[in-house]
Amino acid sequence: MSRRRAFFISDRTGLTSESMGEALLDQFEGVQFKRVTYPFVDTVEKAHAMVQIINNAAEQEAQRPLVFTSIIDPDIRKIVQSSVGLNLSFFDAFLHLLEKELGVKARNSIGKLHSITDTDRYDARMEAVNFSLNHDDGISAKDLETADVILMGVSRSGKTPTCLYLALQYGIRAANYPLTPDDLESTDLPRMVKPFKNKLFGLTIQPERLQEIRQERRPDSRYSNINTCKSEVNDAQAMFRRHNIAFTNTTHKSVEELAVSIMQACNLKRRF
Amino acid sequence: MSRRRAFFISDRTGLTSESMGEALLDQFEGVQFKRVTYPFVDTVEKAHAMVQIINNAAEQEAQRPLVFTSIIDPDIRKIVQSSVGLNLSFFDAFLHLLEKELGVKARNSIGKLHSITDTDRYDARMEAVNFSLNHDDGISAKDLETADVILMGVSRSGKTPTCLYLALQYGIRAANYPLTPDDLESTDLPRMVKPFKNKLFGLTIQPERLQEIRQERRPDSRYSNINTCKSEVNDAQAMFRRHNIAFTNTTHKSVEELAVSIMQACNLKRRF
């Protein structure tokens, strides 16, 4: 199998160049990529050092490296692009098109997206994270009132990471309601969440996968028994259907996919 | 101020087209953008509906919308691009270049990046998230042993969201060690973390910002008093310097920036 170095280089965190690069590399089977990310390449010196690193890599390999860049400063970008690698810069690909379309010159400097005074964003995020954390094990009626969405599901169906991701990525206050055996026996909705039916969203999971996850936590217990898992999942799904609660199966979904699906289904808007 | 619609459209979560689009739009001052994300546009029907939505928007506005797409399926991409909007598709911009360079055809289908069986990724992530959550208020020596990194700082200096982000984004097991008044009075490192000096990373913050955050939590208390904040921050920084612990100021950094800085400073590698 052929093998290629892939550099993700940015004068910021590198998250954009990584996600763009990964999405592209993912389209090529039969090539093995050796990835490395260089964030905060934000000075002329670091840019020159980067060129050296890329050129050295090129000498060691049969083929030139792929260089995905997300560098705002045009001077630094130009230096990095003087390496022998294949340059894939999304600023170069799109910035001129946008300048022409908007009739405005790009400012070519690091801007408000990663701004210094963006305390509002931090506050919204922190508030949502604290909301999630405070309610992870026990929840009050008041909490449910202030929640943007309430995720319901059996223990280990994926509620916690999804709530945290919604908080960190979108500032969404997601509450976590674990369905207890008592809840599952009833044909009614749990008393606590009943007044907030319009905020409920259900998570379900394949019983086999649930068993696997629970087994890690409490091996060979009633909790992790396949029959317990099957019956809990069955009861939970029956509850969602009976009360017309939208739900999704988490088994084959990433946390990102779950979060975005929930935002879409519940018509939630990011808070920052 | 002129005003433009910006569509972020994807057959997946839309996170890549959003982050690429935001980075580009951020370069234009004096234009107000009205953003909207459409994830999971993954059928011919949804693609045609999308074209209608874009064309309707174009009719309502003086200028055509900007359309940032991250759509893997070439047929669906083609339909979406038949709208009157300005098309900015990073797959179109880079996929042919990569095909030529690699000598391999792109498979043009949703791939392993968001793969169905990526339970390893989920497990690494969950393990790290659980690690973070379990140790948020109290920590054991065993926890510290298995941590990838230990974030130290005074209460409300930004440890918790950073730990959670490191866990969710990179699968890094980040422990959270809050510096108590007792810790801060001593010239020694806290007894518990002393054996793990090589894993320590410090967080500090502007006392004024710390006061603001603490004030939200416990208004007009000793905890949120500016003098308390100043003296705690001073003592913490003195400790970091005395023991040569790398540290960063969280005041003007996003959680993403903090996480990436820590990964870089501590030479941590993502676990998935």
Side-chain angles (χ1 to χ4, degrees):
Chain A
M1 192 185 276
S2 87
R3 195 163 162 287
R4 278 291 180 123
R5 296 266 197 140
F7 288 90
F8 305 126
I9 306 175
S10 173
D11 49 2
R12 309 294 312 157
T13 60
L15 290 167
T16 302
S17 63
E18 268 181 2
S19 76
M20 185 188 77
E22 291 291 357
L24 288 163
L25 296 185
D26 189 50
Q27 288 303 306
F28 295 94
E29 282 167 322
V31 188
Q32 204 192 328
F33 297 103
K34 197 188 163 193
R35 302 149 160 90
V36 56
T37 303
Y38 286 87
F40 306 121
V41 178
D42 52 9
T43 64
V44 166
E45 294 71 31
K46 289 187 196 169
H48 283 298
M50 212 50 251
V51 173
Q52 272 306 314
I53 291 169
I54 299 168
N55 289 350
N56 289 346
E59 274 180 35
Q60 289 160 25
E61 314 265 325
Q63 288 153 317
R64 63 176 172 170
L66 312 177
V67 183
F68 296 92
T69 62
S70 163
I71 298 176
I72 295 168
D73 186 303
D75 297 331
I76 294 177
R77 201 157 72 221
K78 232 169 271 165
I79 298 170
V80 171
Q81 291 178 347
S82 70
S83 85
V84 301
L86 174 71
N87 291 302
L88 303 147
S89 154
F90 80 91
F91 278 111
D92 286 315
F94 299 116
L95 214 50
H96 288 304
L97 280 174
L98 280 169
E99 283 182 332
K100 214 178 125 196
E101 177 73 16
L102 298 170
V104 177
K105 276 276 180 207
R107 58 177 150 174
N108 292 319
S109 62
I110 288 165
K112 69 173 188 306
L113 181 62
H114 303 279
S115 152
I116 278 172
T117 51
D118 209 351
T119 53
D120 284 350
R121 187 169 187 228
Y122 185 84
D123 290 345
R125 201 166 210 174
M126 271 308 297
E127 204 183 306
V129 167
N130 288 333
F131 182 89
S132 241
L133 292 181
N134 293 340
H135 315 144
D136 201 48
D137 14 62
I139 200 152
S140 71
K142 207 187 151 213
D143 299 335
L144 294 173
E145 242 167 67
T146 54
D148 295 319
V149 61
I150 303 164
L151 301 190
M152 280 174 96
V154 304
S155 167
R156 298 288 117 187
S157 55
K159 299 181 299 301
T160 300
T162 311
C163 284
L164 289 172
Y165 189 86
L166 282 166
L168 278 169
Q169 188 71 24
Y170 301 111
I172 297 287
R173 289 194 290 262
N176 176 340
Y177 188 88
L179 290 167
T180 64
D182 279 353
D183 292 331
L184 294 167
E185 266 175 30
S186 165
T187 56
D188 206 358
L189 273 176
R191 192 184 45 80
M192 256 195 123
V193 297
K194 216 173 163 177
F196 309 105
K197 211 190 138 181
N198 59 329
K199 293 187 192 177
L200 294 177
F201 190 91
L203 296 186
T204 187
I205 184 168
Q206 270 182 6
E208 294 71 21
R209 174 70 182 139
L210 182 62
Q211 190 208 10
E212 214 175 275
I213 298 170
R214 289 184 170 187
Q215 185 70 14
E216 280 286 308
R217 217 165 158 89
R218 290 193 227 153
D220 306 319
S221 61
R222 189 176 141 60
Y223 173 76
S224 60
N225 182 283
I226 185 68
N227 292 323
T228 308
C229 293
K230 277 185 183 165
S231 107
E232 286 192 16
V233 166
N234 245 332
D235 291 346
Q237 289 181 185
M239 179 189 286
F240 301 150
R241 290 204 182 91
R242 191 182 306 122
H243 299 283
N244 277 316
I245 295 165
F247 68 100
T248 192
N249 191 316
T250 67
T251 315
H252 300 311
K253 292 199 182 81
S254 68
V255 175
E256 286 87 349
E257 285 171 308
L258 287 172
V260 174
S261 305
I262 292 164
M263 300 272 292
Q264 196 176 38
C266 300
N267 202 17
L268 298 169
K269 301 274 169 262
R270 60 163 66 234
R271 283 187 179 266
F272 53 73
Chain B
M1 191 184 274
S2 89
R3 198 162 161 286
R4 277 292 180 123
R5 296 264 198 143
F7 289 90
F8 305 126
I9 305 174
S10 173
D11 49 2
R12 309 293 312 154
T13 59
L15 290 168
T16 302
S17 64
E18 269 181 359
S19 74
M20 187 187 76
E22 291 291 357
L24 287 163
L25 296 186
D26 189 49
Q27 287 303 304
F28 295 93
E29 283 167 322
V31 188
Q32 203 193 330
F33 297 104
K34 197 187 163 191
R35 303 149 159 89
V36 55
T37 304
Y38 286 87
F40 306 122
V41 177
D42 51 8
T43 64
V44 166
E45 293 71 30
K46 289 186 199 170
H48 283 299
M50 211 52 252
V51 173
Q52 271 307 313
I53 291 169
I54 299 168
N55 289 349
N56 289 346
E59 274 179 35
Q60 289 160 24
E61 315 266 326
Q63 286 151 319
R64 64 177 172 170
L66 311 178
V67 184
F68 297 91
T69 62
S70 162
I71 298 175
I72 295 168
D73 186 303
D75 296 331
I76 292 176
R77 203 158 67 224
K78 231 168 274 165
I79 298 170
V80 172
Q81 291 177 349
S82 71
S83 85
V84 300
L86 174 72
N87 290 302
L88 302 147
S89 153
F90 81 93
F91 278 112
D92 285 315
F94 298 116
L95 213 51
H96 288 304
L97 279 174
L98 280 168
E99 283 183 331
K100 214 177 126 196
E101 177 74 17
L102 299 169
V104 177
K105 277 275 181 208
R107 59 178 149 170
N108 292 321
S109 63
I110 288 165
K112 69 174 186 307
L113 180 63
H114 303 277
S115 149
I116 278 171
T117 53
D118 211 352
T119 53
D120 285 349
R121 187 169 186 229
Y122 185 84
D123 291 345
R125 200 166 210 174
M126 272 309 295
E127 205 183 305
V129 166
N130 287 333
F131 181 88
S132 240
L133 293 181
N134 292 339
H135 314 145
D136 201 48
D137 13 62
I139 199 152
S140 71
K142 208 187 150 212
D143 298 335
L144 294 173
E145 242 167 67
T146 53
D148 294 319
V149 62
I150 303 164
L151 300 190
M152 279 173 99
V154 302
S155 168
R156 297 289 119 187
S157 54
K159 302 181 298 300
T160 299
T162 312
C163 284
L164 289 172
Y165 190 85
L166 282 165
L168 278 169
Q169 189 71 22
Y170 301 110
I172 297 287
R173 290 194 290 260
N176 176 339
Y177 187 86
L179 290 167
T180 65
D182 280 353
D183 291 333
L184 293 168
E185 266 176 29
S186 166
T187 56
D188 207 359
L189 275 175
R191 193 182 45 79
M192 257 195 123
V193 297
K194 215 172 163 179
F196 308 106
K197 210 190 139 181
N198 59 329
K199 292 186 194 177
L200 294 177
F201 190 90
L203 296 187
T204 188
I205 183 168
Q206 270 181 6
E208 293 72 21
R209 174 72 179 136
L210 183 61
Q211 191 209 7
E212 211 176 280
I213 299 170
R214 287 185 172 186
Q215 185 69 13
E216 279 286 306
R217 218 165 157 86
R218 289 193 229 151
D220 306 319
S221 60
R222 189 176 140 61
Y223 173 77
S224 62
N225 183 282
I226 185 67
N227 291 323
T228 309
C229 293
K230 278 185 183 166
S231 109
E232 286 192 18
V233 166
N234 246 333
D235 291 346
Q237 289 181 186
M239 179 189 286
F240 300 152
R241 291 205 182 91
R242 190 182 305 122
H243 298 283
N244 278 316
I245 295 164
F247 69 100
T248 193
N249 191 316
T250 65
T251 316
H252 300 312
K253 293 200 182 78
S254 68
V255 174
E256 288 86 350
E257 286 172 308
L258 287 171
V260 174
S261 305
I262 292 164
M263 300 274 290
Q264 196 177 38
C266 301
N267 202 17
L268 297 169
K269 301 272 168 263
R270 60 162 69 233
R271 284 187 178 267
F272 52 73

